[in-house]
């Protein structure tokens, strides 16, 4: 079993993550899927085996990371949202270790909250954005849902550890295709780069087995911090 596998939609996102992720036991791999749930589902299917299928190098932990659109008006470009659950295809897919990842990101000095993330097959704007916010969702993307579903089905005993991290690039007040969004995009990519090390620490915590976890976890955490 390998270490961390991170899916991201865009080349700029993949570059920022590769620059930010440290070396870690088991390694960390970034896969660019292209935009949209169909592309994300296809890449997840190739990377994660169906139950009972032998696959060499199946990841020990999986994340989707990149930029996203804020639904909550309190969020600003550069803010980090860790999904507590992913709404996709009529399901609410839980992310049980969201609080742990939130704590790692906060320790790195990043502005971070946790809450529901919605995956949509289209760009969300206007009234739809307001409706999703009223239901309690914080952020929207186009890739996390299929990957979260694949992780739920892929691993034994409830699936592979999964996290979704979105850096806000546009908001209800500053939507896409505005000059201010370009500045927000640059800020979001810098934040995404800084999120690499906390992501690695989160993944290591998922890989440690309960037996002897405390000592092993401490050693691996120090390895990531010093690399």
């Amino acid at each position: 079993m390998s270490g961390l596998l991170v899916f991201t939609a865009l080349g700029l996102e993949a570059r920022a993550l590769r620059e930010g992720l440290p070396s870690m036991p088991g390694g960390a791999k970034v896969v660019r899927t292209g935009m949209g749930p169909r592309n994300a589902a296809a890449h997840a299917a190739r990377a994660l085996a169906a139950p009972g299928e032998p696959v060499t190098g199946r990841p020990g932990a999986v994340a989707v990371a990149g930029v996203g659109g804020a639904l909550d008006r309190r969020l600003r470009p550069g803010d980090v949202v860790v999904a507590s659950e992913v709404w996709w295809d009529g399901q609410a897919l839980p992310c049980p270790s969201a609080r742990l990842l939130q704590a790692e990101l906060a320790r790195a000095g990043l502005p971070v909250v946790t809450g529901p993330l919605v995956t949509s097959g289209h760009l969300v704007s206007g009234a739809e954005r307001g409706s999703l916010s009223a239901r309690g969702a914080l952020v929207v993307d186009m890739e996390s849902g299929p990957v979260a579903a694949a992780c739920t089905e892929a691993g034994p005993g409830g699936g592979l550890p999964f996290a979704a991290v979105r850096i806000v690039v546009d908001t209800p007040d500053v939507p896409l295709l505005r000059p201010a969004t370009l500045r927000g995009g640059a800020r979001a990519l810098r934040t995404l780069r800084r999120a690499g090390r906390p992501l690695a620490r989160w993944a290591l915590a998922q890989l440690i087995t309960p037996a002897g976890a405390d000592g092993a976890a401490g050693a691996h955490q120090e390895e990531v911090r010093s690399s």
Side-chain angles (χ1 to χ4, degrees):
M1 180 177 287
S2 61
L4 171 64
L5 177 62
V6 185
F7 293 99
T8 190
L10 304 176
L12 288 173
E13 295 169 328
R15 179 178 178 181
L17 284 163
R18 291 186 182 115
E19 291 174 350
L21 282 165
S23 60
M24 57 179 284
K29 181 180 180 182
V30 178
V31 174
R32 183 172 68 85
T33 64
M35 289 181 63
R38 183 176 297 180
N39 286 327
H43 280 273
R46 285 197 289 270
L48 307 175
E53 290 186 10
V55 168
T56 301
R58 173 187 280 182
V62 177
V64 177
V67 301
L71 299 171
D72 190 313
R73 289 186 179 274
R74 294 171 293 182
L75 295 171
R76 294 292 179 263
D79 287 349
V80 184
V81 179
V82 176
S84 59
E85 61 185 19
V86 177
W87 298 355
W88 165 247
D89 196 25
Q91 305 176 78
L93 302 165
C95 304
S97 58
R99 291 291 183 184
L100 174 61
L101 180 52
Q102 180 189 25
E104 292 289 355
L105 289 159
R107 185 184 302 168
L110 296 176
V112 55
V113 296
T114 185
L117 176 154
V118 180
T119 294
S120 173
H122 59 273
L123 293 176
V124 172
S125 61
E128 186 180 9
R129 209 164 190 160
S131 175
L132 290 170
S133 177
R135 292 170 54 196
L138 296 185
V139 69
V140 61
D141 75 2
M142 298 179 69
E143 293 81 30
S144 292
V147 180
C151 287
T152 300
E153 299 166 359
L160 291 171
F162 172 80
V165 181
R166 289 296 175 183
I167 318 299
V168 171
V169 69
D170 63 296
T171 72
D173 298 317
V174 186
L176 285 172
L177 306 180
R178 297 280 183 88
T181 308
L182 296 177
R183 294 191 296 273
R187 182 183 309 149
L189 290 172
R190 290 194 297 271
T191 302
L192 185 59
R193 189 178 298 109
R194 291 178 60 195
R197 195 170 296 272
L199 260 177
R201 290 197 292 264
W202 165 82
L204 285 173
Q206 310 312 304
L207 299 174
I208 300 302
T209 57
D214 291 342
H220 286 320
Q221 293 282 359
E222 287 305 316
E223 184 172 346
V224 168
R225 288 192 180 98
S226 61
S227 62

